[in-house]
Amino acid sequence: MTFLGGGGTVGAINPLHALDLLYRKILTDIPADVLPTTMRILGLLVLYSPRLSTEDQARFLNLDQAFFYRALQQLHSVVYVPSTDELNSSLHIYHASFSDFLKDSNRCDKFSLNEKAVHYDVALQALHWTENSTPRKAFT
């Protein structure tokens, strides 16, 4: 895989270089105060591919619907983002190369998904989700 990663000998050809530059540009255009939320959404989407509606995904991540959509505002060229009228639709990444890019720290630098952090965040949110959606029964 060093060929794709651009590693190996000096001057090795990386056929994904132009695509990586495009993906970096898209992510660089996201405001710094929004980027962490965008990366949380992308982490859930890339590593878990949830079949949740956008409304449920925002709720699962404990995000306000408006901020959820703001975090996705710059991603319309790489992620299908349903309109606010389509809250029952789900997000999906248009091409697997974007997911691959986000998972490869050699390709995406500071935009690399921290898989351990994503798993930790999802686990915490799942506990929160379960706690708030399951009726509690008193022990007798």
Side-chain angles (χ1 to χ4, degrees):
M1 237 355 152
T2 57
F3 176 75
L4 292 177
T9 61
V10 176
I13 298 172
N14 177 355
L16 301 174
H17 181 71
L19 194 55
D20 291 354
L21 289 175
L22 174 65
Y23 290 155
R24 272 193 223 111
K25 172 66 174 142
I26 291 167
L27 294 169
T28 300
D29 287 345
I30 298 170
D33 64 321
V34 178
L35 185 61
T37 301
T38 303
M39 296 308 292
R40 283 184 71 212
I41 296 167
L42 288 173
L44 178 62
L45 187 58
V46 169
L47 298 181
Y48 290 91
S49 302
R51 301 274 187 231
L52 298 173
S53 67
T54 53
E55 182 177 33
D56 286 340
Q57 192 168 351
R59 195 176 306 134
F60 178 80
L61 292 171
N62 201 25
L63 297 171
D64 170 79
Q65 195 73 34
F67 194 68
F68 178 83
Y69 274 95
R70 182 169 177 236
L72 297 168
Q73 192 171 8
Q74 301 294 325
L75 298 179
H76 287 272
S77 60
V78 290
V79 176
Y80 171 72
V81 181
S83 71
T84 54
D85 296 337
E86 303 174 285
L87 291 178
N88 290 327
S89 296
S90 58
L91 302 171
H92 68 266
I93 292 176
Y94 287 126
H95 198 274
S97 64
F98 186 57
S99 295
D100 295 342
F101 169 80
L102 292 170
K103 291 190 268 183
D104 187 342
S105 61
N106 292 323
R107 291 178 59 197
C108 66
D109 246 359
K110 67 180 181 179
F111 299 112
S112 176
L113 291 175
N114 178 336
E115 291 190 30
K116 286 182 183 180
V118 172
H119 293 310
Y120 181 77
D121 184 34
V122 168
L124 285 178
Q125 295 309 319
L127 288 171
H128 177 75
W129 176 281
T130 303
E131 183 178 281
N132 291 328
S133 63
T134 304
R136 293 180 180 237
K137 294 182 180 182
F139 290 99
T140 55

